[in-house]
């Protein structure tokens, strides 16, 4: 079935360094790839997303890249800060069955730790 | 500002009890979802609904049912709670009709079954 794999499960980086989280997806028909951030005790919130007609998207210190051929996409955070510490989830959309709507299939999450 | 509100933040129930988790959204979204979040397992879809009275099973529907009688409200029902249903439950909503759009989450309900 549809699957999204996310790596690593835990990532520890020094404050100011860059962090990269990678996801691979199984269905070549996927066309929407969001990234969510979940701070401790809070709800997941969208931080950036990319659609399949775009290879890269940036928003200040965060960027997402998409390689459709290889079916993988990555989140890049530059100049990391303590407030970047959180769990990050990737997701990929999968086409609807019958009369339903697109579904999001989620990665297992990456716990990002920023060391002072 | 989209608001997705879950009825309880923390809940403790006994094994065998029938449990209702309620979720309300105020943005007229077609899609509503119930997820279960466990450490290391990410967000697992229990059920979702793309219209009133419509529902589809997700990845882990066993032991759960849902109800969507009104567009703004999506209820998750544990017919007979068991200890392995102790978890964080997250509700979400999004615009529907085949459009890939942002999912907005509720604050979560941490359910403990004893």
């Amino acid at each position: 079935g549809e699957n999204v794999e996310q790596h690593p499960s835990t990532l520890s980086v020094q404050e100011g360094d860059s962090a990269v989280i990678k996801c691979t997806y199984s269905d070549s028909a996927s066309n929407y790839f969001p990234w969510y951030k979940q701070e401790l005790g809070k709800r997941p919130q969208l931080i950036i997303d990319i659609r399949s007609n775009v290879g890269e998207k940036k928003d200040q210190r965060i960027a997402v890249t998409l390689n459709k051929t290889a079916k993988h996409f990555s989140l890049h955070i530059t100049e990391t800060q303590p407030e970047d510490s959180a769990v990050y989830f990737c997701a990929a959309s999968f086409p609807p069955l019958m009369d339903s709507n697109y579904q999001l299939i989620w990665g297992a999450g990456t716990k990002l730790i920023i060391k002072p | 500002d989209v608001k997705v509100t879950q009825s309880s933040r923390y809940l403790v129930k006994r094994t065998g009890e029938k449990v209702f988790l309620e979720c309300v959204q105020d943005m007229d979204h077609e899609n509503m979802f119930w997820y279960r979040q466990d450490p290391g397992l990410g967000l697992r879809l229990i059920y979702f609904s793309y219209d009133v009275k419509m529902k589809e099973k997700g990845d882990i529907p066993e032991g759960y049912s849902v109800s969507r009688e009104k567009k703004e409200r999506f209820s998750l029902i544990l017919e007979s709670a068991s200890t392995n249903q102790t978890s964080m439950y997250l509700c979400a909503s999004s615009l529907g009709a085949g459009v890939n759009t942002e999912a907005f989450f509720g604050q979560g309900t941490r359910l403990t079954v004893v």
Side-chain angles (χ1 to χ4, degrees):
Chain A
E2 299 87 356
N3 177 254
V4 174
E5 292 191 3
Q6 183 172 348
H7 299 280
S9 56
T10 305
L11 178 60
S12 183
V13 301
Q14 204 68 40
E15 182 179 348
D17 288 350
S18 295
V20 180
I21 303 170
K22 298 180 179 179
C23 289
T24 59
Y25 59 98
S26 58
D27 192 333
S28 57
S30 295
N31 60 9
Y32 175 64
F33 308 91
W35 285 89
Y36 283 73
K37 176 184 181 182
Q38 186 178 28
E39 296 177 22
L40 190 64
K42 297 189 177 180
R43 69 193 76 192
Q45 291 190 298
L46 179 72
I47 55 171
I48 195 167
D49 57 14
I50 192 168
R51 299 183 190 275
S52 58
N53 58 346
V54 175
E56 184 177 2
K57 185 177 178 180
K58 287 184 181 179
D59 183 4
Q60 300 183 330
R61 294 187 299 107
I62 60 173
V64 56
T65 57
L66 171 65
N67 183 326
K68 286 179 61 181
T69 303
K71 291 191 283 187
H72 68 69
F73 56 111
S74 300
L75 177 70
H76 304 254
I77 307 174
T78 58
E79 300 172 14
T80 53
Q81 300 171 5
E83 54 265 34
D84 295 329
S85 293
V87 177
Y88 292 82
F89 292 99
C90 66
S93 69
F94 286 86
L97 301 172
M98 302 294 284
D99 295 328
S100 181
N101 280 334
Y102 277 78
Q103 289 189 51
L104 285 178
I105 305 297
W106 297 82
T110 296
K111 183 176 182 180
L112 177 62
I113 300 166
I114 308 300
K115 296 181 290 186
Chain B
D1 211 22
V2 175
K3 281 199 179 143
V4 180
T5 304
Q6 294 180 228
S7 54
S8 304
R9 192 69 191 268
Y10 299 96
L11 216 49
V12 179
K13 295 293 181 180
R14 295 195 181 277
T15 301
E17 274 193 81
K18 190 168 186 176
V19 182
F20 292 86
L21 303 183
E22 307 284 347
C23 176
V24 177
Q25 50 95 2
D26 65 358
M27 282 301 290
D28 204 34
H29 283 173
E30 284 82 9
N31 293 338
M32 294 189 76
F33 309 85
W34 274 107
Y35 292 96
R36 175 175 169 162
Q37 183 175 22
D38 299 289
L41 298 178
L43 297 167
R44 293 184 292 168
L45 182 65
I46 305 172
Y47 269 97
F48 76 100
S49 168
Y50 54 92
D51 201 354
V52 175
K53 296 191 186 295
M54 305 303 288
K55 60 185 180 184
E56 283 203 21
K57 294 179 179 179
D59 300 319
I60 51 166
E62 296 79 18
Y64 304 94
S65 62
V66 290
S67 172
R68 191 153 180 217
E69 296 297 318
K70 292 184 178 182
K71 192 174 185 180
E72 66 271 18
R73 186 180 296 271
F74 192 35
S75 303
L76 180 70
I77 304 153
L78 287 67
E79 295 290 342
S80 178
S82 63
T83 54
N84 62 11
Q85 292 177 309
T86 291
S87 187
M88 171 68 82
Y89 291 87
L90 286 165
C91 173
S93 73
S94 70
L95 283 172
V99 176
N100 298 329
T101 59
E102 180 178 356
F104 293 87
F105 285 86
Q107 77 276 27
T109 296
R110 184 164 293 282
L111 173 66
T112 303
V113 183
V114 298

